[in-house]
Amino acid sequence: MAKPVQSNTGSGLLRRLASNAPVLISGSILLALVVIAVAAPLLAPYDPYAQDLSRRLLPPIGYAGHDPAHFLGTDGFGRDYLSRLIYGTRISLLIGFSVVLIAGFIGTTIGLLAGYFGGKVDQVLMFVINTRLAMPVFLAAMAVVVVFGASLTATVLTLGFFLWDRFAVVIRSTTQQVAAQDFVLAARSAGFSNTRILTREILPNVLSSVVVIATLEMGSAILLEAALSFLGFGVQEPTPSWGLMLSQAREQLFFDAWLIYLPGLALLSLVLAVNIFGDGLRDLLGARDRT
Amino acid sequence: MTSFIIKRLASAVLTILVVSALTFSLAFLAGDPAIAIAGKDSSAADIARVREYYGFDRPVVIQYGEWLAKALTGDFGRSFHYQQSVADMLASRLPITFGLGVAAIIFALAIAVPLGVAAAAKPGGLIDRFALGLSVLGQAMPTFWLALLLVVLFGLTLRWLPISGNATWQHFVMPTIALGTFALPALLRITRAGTLDALRSDYVRTARAKGLGAGKVLFRHALRNVMIPLVSISAVQLGALLAGSIVIEQIFALQGIGALSYDATLRADLPVVQAITLIVAVFYVLLTLVADIVNAILDPRIRESW
């Protein structure tokens, strides 16, 4: 049974949030990463694009030959590694947010319409959802690269147009539950238009589910972008994407293995924080049985 | 029941038609495929010859019908780059990808099943927490990064395992661990949830009341309950596993389907990309079709919702 959304607002939610260690910790890490992304120009010691070929592949602190001017060393183009890592936070979060925004909009709209109208509308939309599920995201993204070439925009649009299935499936069933409740029936008998009922009565009550799925899907989007960029099918050089940094680090694997540690660790930490935060949010908002 | 199967079958056929039409239309979104094959600097006569040779001069609907009819019989045309039959290329590379996929699933199951059952036996206990931690970590782990870490540790530092190629079984150890870790979280969660369900059920309570030992109850009754969802999730994850396989095969230089799709994307070899996309989609549709029909036989309520 869907719990009414009212009980989740206000001080009760805050109190539960404060006593939930995983959500607090992952939320703090996430907040810190967002701050790093926003304040990247202030935090990065160097321009992440500035090359200095005379200072290539300087090792990070703790390694022989470390140069104190570059705390985490430099990459194969002599670019400051710390600065590129900091700016990489921006790219990952930017892509995560944009993808989830597009996918969330498409999926929530489909879910609302299918769940509210039912019948033929539902059948058609379920077919659309099932057809989407039959198309593998990663292969589709590669096919798009073949046709349109690889770029940050292509990556965001492809992932955005593909990762909406979970929104649609969950919001559809949540909408079905909400639409059967008294206040919606009352709004209907009062003669309100479908648009008004959907946006004013139902949408606010499914929003917590949307937020939970958005968080969890953001983790997938970030990992998919990194994998695509790693293969050269995502974000392109010289943009500092963690996946792309790992791809370049791999070429130096035999000589400078340290290059692979930090971009991967950054990626793992971000996705871990996002996923744990999403899981915690789901429990807090009482949406477990829906998502 | 018959009407359910007919409706479900019709929906599956329609899905395959839509997906195949989308896949086919890729060739035309890319611009004139004849120019793409002949090369941008070719003469008009050369392009015309290519257009005629590949049949691009005929109506699109007819080309699509012919492409689909051929694809259904296993003929996916010729690779633009290698001038080879796509079906032959796929067939020669299938054993590696299939072997890697099966090894990865077995590796994942070998951890997921005992750990998931043990976790469910004592919810909230130490093993359960470890299992939860492992599945959360596995889900957030970038597969390709794990693969690189394995290469550095076992390949370069310890020198225990070869880092590229597919000559011996040792070449498959690291790819299997990396890809298996990717498949692990979903299998672990399903095993734990299914076992928990079973332990709460009447038949397990009866078995316990009869005095059957805890271990026997777990592995004889609870595990049986988990088998069907485990098999179906392994099957449905095929597309995701192939996606993971693309990165893994590329890193370890395994010449399977994954490496082929990477290569084809790099060279804009459209027939190969189309064939792989279509095959994965059709597999997914068939597997969900079978799963839905099996579930409908087991649970009559599903039939009525159609």
Side-chain angles (χ1 to χ4, degrees), chain B residues 32-64:
Chain B
D32 190 335
I35 298 177
I37 298 167
K40 284 197 181 67
D41 309 318
S42 312
S43 68
D46 280 346
I47 292 170
R49 238 194 319 272
V50 168
R51 191 167 288 142
E52 204 180 327
Y53 177 75
Y54 283 97
F56 295 141
D57 49 351
R58 295 165 308 147
V60 174
V61 181
I62 291 179
Q63 288 186 51
Y64 166 65

Side-chain angles (χ1 to χ4, degrees), chain A residues 127 131 133-134 136 138-139 142-143 146-147 223 226-227 230-231 233 246 250 253-254 260-261 264-265 267-268 271-272, chain B residues 11 14-15 18 26 29-30 136 139-140 142 144-145 151-152 156 163 243 246 250-251 261-262 265-266 270 280-281 284:
Chain A
F127 176 74
T131 307
L133 283 172
F138 206 79
L139 283 171
M142 286 168 60
V146 171
V147 177
L223 279 182
F230 178 74
L231 290 177
F233 302 145
L246 281 168
R250 186 188 158 209
L253 203 58
F254 289 91
I260 70 159
Y261 299 139
L265 200 61
L267 202 52
L268 177 66
V271 177
L272 210 53
Chain B
S11 153
L14 207 56
T15 303
V18 172
L26 282 172
L29 288 172
V136 169
Q139 211 160 27
F144 60 100
W145 186 56
V151 167
V152 170
L156 302 178
I163 57 170
I246 296 171
Q250 214 266 333
I251 289 176
S261 42
Y262 168 79
T265 306
L266 216 56
L270 209 50
V280 173
Y284 175 87

Side-chain angles (χ1 to χ4, degrees), chain B:
Chain B
M1 190 65 208
T2 323
S3 95
F4 166 80
I5 292 181
I6 291 172
K7 276 186 199 164
R8 188 62 190 75
L9 209 61
S11 153
V13 171
L14 207 56
T15 303
I16 290 176
L17 280 176
V18 172
V19 174
S20 64
L22 286 172
T23 314
F24 177 75
S25 63
L26 282 172
F28 296 89
L29 288 172
D32 190 335
I35 298 177
I37 298 167
K40 284 197 181 67
D41 309 318
S42 312
S43 68
D46 280 346
I47 292 170
R49 238 194 319 272
V50 168
R51 191 167 288 142
E52 204 180 327
Y53 177 75
Y54 283 97
F56 295 141
D57 49 351
R58 295 165 308 147
V60 174
V61 181
I62 291 179
Q63 288 186 51
Y64 166 65
E66 201 181 88
W67 176 78
L68 185 63
K70 277 187 174 173
L72 290 177
T73 62
D75 177 1
F76 294 99
R78 302 179 80 78
S79 151
F80 288 168
H81 181 76
Y82 294 99
Q83 296 302 321
Q84 239 182 323
S85 147
V86 174
D88 289 349
M89 289 169 71
L90 289 175
S92 70
R93 284 153 175 269
L94 189 65
I96 288 180
T97 302
F98 186 72
L100 175 59
V102 169
I105 288 279
I106 291 176
F107 172 81
L109 283 175
I111 296 174
V113 170
L115 191 57
V117 171
K122 217 175 173 191
L126 210 59
I127 299 177
D128 192 25
R129 281 189 209 176
F130 173 73
L132 179 70
L134 195 68
S135 90
V136 169
L137 192 67
Q139 211 160 27
M141 178 66 79
T143 314
F144 60 100
W145 186 56
L146 177 65
L148 293 179
L149 290 180
L150 291 172
V151 167
V152 170
L153 180 63
F154 295 114
L156 302 178
T157 310
L158 298 171
R159 296 186 178 277
W160 287 354
L161 292 164
I163 57 170
S164 82
N166 45 276
T168 66
W169 66 267
Q170 283 100 328
H171 286 88
F172 285 88
V173 175
M174 287 195 282
T176 299
I177 296 174
L179 198 59
T181 308
F182 174 70
L184 179 64
L187 299 180
L188 190 53
R189 277 169 201 230
I190 291 279
T191 308
R192 182 183 175 276
T195 312
L196 270 180
D197 263 2
L199 290 180
R200 287 196 209 105
S201 67
D202 291 337
Y203 63 87
V204 166
R205 227 172 287 154
T206 313
R208 273 188 181 153
K210 282 196 309 189
L212 212 58
K216 272 192 180 156
V217 167
L218 272 178
F219 282 91
R220 193 178 294 175
H221 292 281
L223 203 54
R224 210 172 276 177
N225 191 49
V226 185
M227 286 318 282
I228 293 174
L230 263 185
V231 169
S232 61
I233 201 118
S234 309
V236 169
Q237 271 203 323
L238 187 84
L241 214 61
L242 183 73
S245 192
I246 296 171
V247 189
I248 296 302
E249 286 179 22
Q250 214 266 333
I251 289 176
F252 294 102
L254 297 173
Q255 296 303 311
I257 307 267
L260 180 65
S261 42
Y262 168 79
D263 200 47
T265 306
L266 216 56
R267 299 178 194 281
D269 201 342
L270 209 50
V272 178
V273 175
Q274 286 174 317
I276 295 173
T277 311
L278 189 63
I279 290 171
V280 173
V282 169
F283 251 109
Y284 175 87
V285 171
L286 290 180
L287 289 170
T288 46
L289 177 69
V290 171
D292 279 359
I293 290 175
V294 169
N295 284 330
I297 292 170
L298 297 176
D299 186 351
R301 281 171 302 181
I302 296 173
R303 272 175 258 162
E304 280 150 25
S305 70
W306 272 70

Side-chain angles (χ1 to χ4, degrees), chain A residues 8 131 236:
Chain A
N8 290 325
T131 307
Q236 299 294 301

Side-chain angles (χ1 to χ4, degrees), chain A residues 44-251:
Chain A
Y46 293 89
D47 176 356
Y49 297 99
Q51 302 186 4
D52 183 352
L53 292 178
S54 65
R55 300 165 73 79
R56 293 177 64 241
L57 296 168
L58 291 175
I61 188 159
Y63 282 74
H66 170 66
D67 181 341
H70 296 279
F71 182 64
L72 294 178
T74 58
D75 71 2
F77 293 97
R79 296 175 296 202
D80 184 58
Y81 220 50
L82 176 61
S83 304
R84 287 187 73 74
L85 280 171
I86 289 174
Y87 272 85
T89 320
R90 240 182 199 198
I91 299 299
S92 278
L93 282 173
L94 175 75
I95 287 175
F97 276 120
S98 323
V99 166
V100 159
L101 220 56
I102 299 172
F105 180 76
I106 299 174
T108 307
T109 308
I110 290 178
L112 280 172
L113 295 177
Y116 181 71
F117 288 109
K120 285 267 179 291
V121 177
D122 187 35
Q123 277 180 10
V124 170
L125 291 175
M126 273 311 281
F127 176 74
V128 173
I129 294 172
N130 283 327
T131 307
R132 149 60 201 98
L133 283 172
M135 289 186 279
V137 186
F138 206 79
L139 283 171
M142 286 168 60
V144 169
V145 170
V146 171
V147 177
F148 298 105
S151 68
L152 195 151
T153 320
T155 309
V156 167
L157 289 180
T158 314
L159 294 181
F161 281 113
F162 269 87
L163 292 181
W164 52 260
D165 51 283
R166 205 148 143 209
F167 288 97
V169 171
V170 176
I171 299 307
R172 173 179 170 268
S173 66
T174 316
T175 303
Q176 284 172 345
Q177 291 165 6
V178 175
Q181 284 181 22
D182 290 341
F183 66 93
V184 176
L185 300 179
R188 264 188 179 171
S189 56
F192 288 139
S193 71
N194 285 329
T195 321
R196 197 200 139 108
I197 296 176
L198 273 170
T199 52
R200 303 259 182 95
E201 310 291 340
I202 296 182
L203 186 61
N205 282 284
V206 302
L207 221 50
S208 65
S209 296
V210 174
V211 172
V212 171
I213 307 162
T215 317
L216 295 170
E217 286 300 296
M218 201 169 127
S220 324
I222 291 169
L223 279 182
L224 282 168
E225 177 273 321
L228 283 168
S229 299
F230 178 74
L231 290 177
F233 302 145
V235 176
Q236 299 294 301
E237 179 63 21
T239 312
S241 141
W242 291 336
L244 190 59
M245 287 173 79
L246 281 168
S247 163
Q248 288 162 350
R250 186 188 158 209
E251 291 161 21

